[in-house]
Amino acid sequence: MYQKNVLDNGLRVLTTSMPHTRSVGVAILTGVGSRYEGERERGISHFIEHMMFKGTPRRPTAQHIAEAIEGLGGVINASTDSEVTTYWAKVAHHHLPFALDVLVDMFRNSKFDPQEIDKEREVIIQEICRMMDMPESWVHSLIGELLWPNHPVGWDTAGTRESVTGITRQDILDYIDRGYLPRNTVISLAGNLDADRVTEQINQALGSWKSAPAPEFIAAADPAPGPSWRIEFRETEQTHLCLAVRGLPANHPERFTLRILNVLLGEGMSSRLFLEIREKRGLAYSVGSYTSSLRDTGAMVLYAGVPPQKAGDVVTAMLEQLDLLKAKEAPAAEVTKAKEFTKGRILLRMEDTFANAAWFGQQEVLDQPVLTVDQVVQHLDAVTAADIQQMAQRLFSRGALNLAIIGPFKDELAFADRLQL
């Protein structure tokens, strides 16, 4: 269980005691990401995440910040997604006060030196170019654009070369002023810690941080009627494709059913997609599925990397598996296996202190009811084969399909017949 304290300015502090551990994970989560950006500032959330590591008045350079944590044998990192930016560290438990001081110093006192901004701008542009040169990664950006066309939810988190080039220091400061706010931020800690002591340290460091209303985002529009597809021509040896439908929001009551459905369909080497497409037919080396969920929308994505001449067969095989889930309840043994797979992966992950901090912090910053692992396990156990079939029937209609392909195909209609249009 976790303990929650809310400071006077609205900053939420979550502490999870794990006295048997020798480490502590600390996460500062702020509830802004790429979906809060305007067209001109695409990528600014990710840009800010990079710049937070470039120096403060007390720790003037990136080297000072890195050595502060790595010199203790700890780990420090960050991530940006559509709705949350997370800064985190994991250290031996007796180093917690120092690690927390480093994270707070970065989070509140970064200098955003103009020269460092210009250097990091080039680094991020190279990151974007690298991703574009990796079709197995870029195809996931393409499917996002199909699922949410002309909307920030569908934009790549890193932005574009043009948008990153145009971001100024003042843009960064303005974005932080409107997005990095105490009422929009959660500090979550887990491990061998004293909850009262760490909460007091946070209060002393951030209690005077001025509050303001949290920013709002543009709601995701309803999907356009009919299927959509996009083919990006490249002379590649392997074709990369994503077949996707809109999914469920993060707090949807049936999200546990979707989670089991995804495991059954495409997560792991005993999933239907893996067994049918790789093991039985030998059509692909890499194949699987995943889900994503946001405050008001979500997605379910099937992915495969295949020889170009077999891409059409893989699309057909994927559709056959979706149709099978719609037409027939999964056998009880298969449903049980999917549940145990899901529960086991959660339980194994939760032995880590940072995973615990992120588990509670992520739910809290997105204003979800914060569920413990045991509560989630109960929800997963309650999923039935009939629930899974009904979910498949709800999501996998032909008119809801979106197909993104990167490979040596010049005909935009090359896969229209495979989608049964």
Side-chain angles (χ1 to χ4, degrees):
M1 293 297 294
Y2 71 97
Q3 177 179 322
K4 177 180 176 179
N5 291 282
V6 182
L7 305 189
D8 291 342
N9 59 8
L11 177 67
R12 289 160 285 176
V13 180
L14 307 185
T15 50
T16 303
S17 179
M18 301 171 66
H20 59 285
T21 63
R22 295 180 180 270
S23 69
V24 175
V26 186
I28 302 179
L29 307 99
T30 189
V32 288
S34 57
R35 78 170 304 177
Y36 291 82
E37 300 167 357
E39 175 71 35
R40 192 187 66 79
E41 59 186 8
R42 288 174 62 172
I44 194 170
S45 302
H46 176 250
F47 204 147
I48 290 169
E49 176 221 308
H50 277 231
M51 290 306 304
M52 287 289 190
F53 289 82
K54 299 304 176 182
T56 72
R58 292 170 56 203
R59 299 174 176 93
T61 68
Q63 181 177 347
H64 285 94
I65 291 174
E67 289 181 346
I69 299 298
E70 292 181 357
L72 306 177
V75 180
I76 187 169
N77 212 328
S79 62
T80 306
D81 62 27
S82 185
E83 295 184 330
V84 181
T85 305
T86 304
Y87 304 88
W88 64 274
K90 182 179 177 181
V91 294
H93 67 91
H94 54 280
H95 291 309
L96 171 58
F98 182 77
L100 185 58
D101 179 70
V102 172
L103 282 175
V104 170
D105 187 31
M106 291 168 48
F107 190 74
R108 293 291 297 144
N109 302 315
S110 285
K111 296 187 297 182
F112 301 107
D113 179 86
Q115 291 184 332
E116 291 297 329
I117 289 174
D118 288 338
K119 285 195 297 183
E120 200 61 25
R121 186 192 319 280
E122 295 304 315
V123 170
I124 293 171
I125 289 173
Q126 290 307 308
E127 180 181 356
I128 294 170
C129 292
R130 176 178 179 270
M131 183 172 60
M132 293 179 69
D133 282 345
M134 299 171 64
E136 68 273 22
S137 296
W138 188 243
V139 71
H140 298 279
S141 295
L142 297 185
I143 200 66
E145 294 175 3
L146 282 177
L147 286 164
W148 299 284
N150 303 313
H151 191 281
V153 171
W155 296 346
D156 189 84
T157 302
T160 67
R161 285 174 288 190
E162 294 75 18
S163 65
V164 171
T165 299
I167 291 172
T168 68
R169 183 176 189 271
Q170 191 58 52
D171 291 332
I172 289 173
L173 298 178
D174 291 344
Y175 187 86
I176 289 173
D177 283 344
R178 73 173 191 263
Y180 279 56
L181 302 164
R183 293 190 183 278
N184 201 36
T185 300
V186 173
I187 301 183
S188 183
L189 310 94
N192 190 342
L193 54 80
D194 184 318
D196 293 336
R197 184 177 299 173
V198 73
T199 301
E200 178 57 29
Q201 181 184 353
I202 293 171
N203 190 38
Q204 290 180 2
L206 295 173
S208 61
W209 183 12
K210 292 184 179 180
S211 187
E216 298 182 354
F217 58 81
I218 301 172
D222 293 334
S228 66
W229 63 92
R230 177 174 173 182
I231 299 176
E232 184 172 298
F233 174 79
R234 294 197 195 184
E235 290 284 5
T236 55
E237 294 295 325
Q238 189 176 47
T239 293
H240 300 271
L241 64 89
C242 284
L243 182 68
V245 296
R246 291 277 189 103
L248 301 179
N251 200 32
H252 196 283
E254 297 178 66
R255 64 191 183 277
F256 307 101
T257 298
L258 181 59
R259 191 162 185 173
I260 299 300
L261 169 59
N262 177 66
V263 171
L264 190 152
L265 177 62
E267 190 171 346
M269 293 188 293
S270 58
S271 66
R272 291 189 177 191
L273 288 177
F274 193 95
L275 292 176
E276 180 68 22
I277 293 176
R278 174 169 165 164
E279 296 299 323
K280 183 178 178 179
R281 303 194 193 187
L283 294 174
Y285 169 74
S286 179
V287 62
S289 68
Y290 63 90
T291 63
S292 63
S293 58
L294 304 174
R295 292 178 185 266
D296 60 339
T297 187
M300 184 168 187
V301 182
L302 287 63
Y303 163 80
V306 303
Q309 66 273 19
K310 295 182 179 179
D313 293 337
V314 169
V315 173
T316 297
M318 286 179 167
L319 292 174
E320 289 172 353
Q321 291 304 311
L322 299 185
D323 288 341
L324 184 59
L325 284 167
K326 292 161 58 179
K328 186 178 180 180
E329 286 188 9
E334 189 178 19
V335 174
T336 298
K337 177 187 71 69
K339 289 181 181 180
E340 293 304 315
F341 177 98
T342 307
K343 294 186 294 183
R345 291 295 171 90
I346 293 172
L347 294 172
L348 290 175
R349 187 169 72 247
M350 296 304 282
E351 292 185 352
D352 179 77
T353 52
F354 170 67
N356 276 268
W359 172 278
F360 292 111
Q362 187 83 10
Q363 295 179 79
E364 178 68 36
V365 77
L366 292 175
D367 300 315
Q368 298 176 248
V370 179
L371 302 181
T372 66
V373 171
D374 290 339
Q375 289 172 318
V376 169
V377 166
Q378 289 176 355
H379 285 292
L380 294 171
D381 280 334
V383 174
T384 67
D387 294 333
I388 295 170
Q389 183 184 22
Q390 290 168 11
M391 180 64 67
Q393 292 170 346
R394 173 181 173 181
L395 296 182
F396 301 146
S397 68
R398 286 291 186 268
L401 295 173
N402 301 270
L403 178 65
I405 294 180
I406 298 176
F409 308 103
K410 294 184 177 180
D411 183 2
E412 280 286 334
L413 299 177
F415 292 84
D417 59 329
R418 299 288 185 170
L419 292 176
Q420 301 177 18
L421 303 181

